[in-house]
Short mmCIF file of all heavy atoms in Angstrom, two decimals:
data_model
loop_
_atom_site.label_atom_id
_atom_site.label_comp_id
_atom_site.label_asym_id
_atom_site.label_seq_id
_atom_site.Cartn_x
_atom_site.Cartn_y
_atom_site.Cartn_z
N GLY A 100 84.34 122.62 137.88
CA GLY A 100 85.20 121.60 138.44
C GLY A 100 86.65 121.82 138.12
O GLY A 100 87.55 121.71 139.00
N LEU A 101 86.97 122.19 136.89
CA LEU A 101 88.35 122.50 136.52
C LEU A 101 88.87 123.71 137.27
O LEU A 101 90.06 123.72 137.73
CB LEU A 101 88.43 122.71 135.00
CG LEU A 101 88.24 121.49 134.12
CD1 LEU A 101 88.24 121.90 132.66
CD2 LEU A 101 89.30 120.42 134.44
N TRP A 102 88.05 124.70 137.45
CA TRP A 102 88.49 125.90 138.21
C TRP A 102 88.76 125.56 139.63
O TRP A 102 89.78 126.00 140.21
CB TRP A 102 87.34 126.94 138.19
CG TRP A 102 87.69 128.14 139.06
CD1 TRP A 102 88.46 129.21 138.76
CD2 TRP A 102 87.19 128.36 140.38
NE1 TRP A 102 88.48 130.08 139.82
CE2 TRP A 102 87.73 129.56 140.85
CE3 TRP A 102 86.36 127.65 141.24
CZ2 TRP A 102 87.47 130.08 142.08
CZ3 TRP A 102 86.11 128.12 142.49
CH2 TRP A 102 86.66 129.34 142.90
N GLY A 103 87.97 124.65 140.24
CA GLY A 103 88.28 124.23 141.59
C GLY A 103 89.56 123.46 141.72
O GLY A 103 90.35 123.67 142.66
N LEU A 104 89.84 122.58 140.76
CA LEU A 104 91.09 121.76 140.80
C LEU A 104 92.28 122.70 140.59
O LEU A 104 93.31 122.53 141.32
CB LEU A 104 91.04 120.69 139.73
CG LEU A 104 90.04 119.56 139.95
CD1 LEU A 104 90.05 118.60 138.79
CD2 LEU A 104 90.35 118.80 141.24
N ILE A 105 92.20 123.63 139.68
CA ILE A 105 93.32 124.54 139.44
C ILE A 105 93.52 125.48 140.54
O ILE A 105 94.67 125.78 140.97
CB ILE A 105 93.10 125.27 138.09
CG1 ILE A 105 93.08 124.30 136.92
CG2 ILE A 105 94.18 126.34 137.87
CD1 ILE A 105 92.72 124.93 135.60
N ASN A 106 92.46 125.99 141.12
CA ASN A 106 92.59 126.94 142.23
C ASN A 106 93.21 126.33 143.47
O ASN A 106 93.95 126.98 144.21
CB ASN A 106 91.18 127.51 142.57
CG ASN A 106 91.21 128.67 143.56
OD1 ASN A 106 92.08 129.56 143.39
ND2 ASN A 106 90.37 128.66 144.54
N LYS A 107 92.95 125.05 143.71
CA LYS A 107 93.53 124.36 144.89
C LYS A 107 94.89 123.74 144.52
O LYS A 107 95.44 123.08 145.39
CB LYS A 107 92.57 123.24 145.33
CG LYS A 107 91.26 123.76 145.86
CD LYS A 107 90.52 122.63 146.55
CE LYS A 107 90.37 121.42 145.67
NZ LYS A 107 89.68 120.34 146.36
N GLU A 108 95.34 123.90 143.26
CA GLU A 108 96.61 123.31 142.84
C GLU A 108 96.64 121.78 143.02
O GLU A 108 97.60 121.20 143.46
CB GLU A 108 97.80 123.95 143.59
CG GLU A 108 97.89 125.46 143.36
CD GLU A 108 99.08 126.06 144.13
OE1 GLU A 108 99.73 125.30 144.91
OE2 GLU A 108 99.35 127.26 143.93
N SER A 109 95.52 121.19 142.66
CA SER A 109 95.42 119.73 142.81
C SER A 109 96.29 118.98 141.81
O SER A 109 96.54 117.78 142.01
CB SER A 109 93.95 119.28 142.62
OG SER A 109 93.12 119.89 143.61
N PHE A 110 96.76 119.63 140.74
CA PHE A 110 97.59 118.98 139.76
C PHE A 110 99.08 119.10 140.15
O PHE A 110 99.94 118.64 139.37
CB PHE A 110 97.36 119.58 138.38
CG PHE A 110 95.99 119.36 137.88
CD1 PHE A 110 95.06 120.39 137.86
CD2 PHE A 110 95.56 118.11 137.40
CE1 PHE A 110 93.74 120.24 137.36
CE2 PHE A 110 94.28 117.87 136.90
CZ PHE A 110 93.38 118.95 136.90
N ILE A 118 94.10 113.30 144.15
CA ILE A 118 93.13 113.94 143.31
C ILE A 118 91.90 113.02 143.13
O ILE A 118 90.80 113.47 142.82
CB ILE A 118 93.74 114.28 141.96
CG1 ILE A 118 92.82 115.21 141.17
CG2 ILE A 118 94.04 113.02 141.14
CD1 ILE A 118 93.45 115.75 139.90
N ASP A 121 89.18 114.01 145.50
CA ASP A 121 88.85 115.41 145.47
C ASP A 121 87.41 115.57 145.03
O ASP A 121 87.01 115.03 143.97
CB ASP A 121 89.76 116.21 144.48
CG ASP A 121 89.70 117.70 144.73
OD1 ASP A 121 88.57 118.22 144.87
OD2 ASP A 121 90.78 118.32 144.84
N MET A 123 85.90 117.97 143.64
CA MET A 123 85.81 118.70 142.40
C MET A 123 85.91 117.76 141.20
O MET A 123 85.49 118.07 140.10
CB MET A 123 86.88 119.79 142.33
CG MET A 123 86.56 121.02 143.16
SD MET A 123 85.05 121.79 142.62
CE MET A 123 84.77 122.97 143.95
N LEU A 124 86.51 116.60 141.41
CA LEU A 124 86.63 115.61 140.37
C LEU A 124 85.25 115.10 139.92
O LEU A 124 84.98 114.75 138.74
CB LEU A 124 87.48 114.48 140.73
CG LEU A 124 87.93 113.49 139.63
CD1 LEU A 124 88.74 114.17 138.56
CD2 LEU A 124 88.72 112.32 140.24
N VAL A 127 83.91 117.56 137.48
CA VAL A 127 84.58 117.43 136.17
C VAL A 127 83.96 116.30 135.38
O VAL A 127 83.65 116.40 134.19
CB VAL A 127 86.08 117.24 136.38
CG1 VAL A 127 86.77 116.95 135.04
CG2 VAL A 127 86.71 118.52 137.00
#
Side-chain angles (χ1 to χ4, degrees):
L101 291 176
W102 174 81
L104 292 176
I105 295 173
N106 189 44
K107 295 191 305 177
E108 299 180 354
S109 298
F110 297 105
I118 194 173
D121 198 312
M123 284 297 169
L124 190 62
V127 173

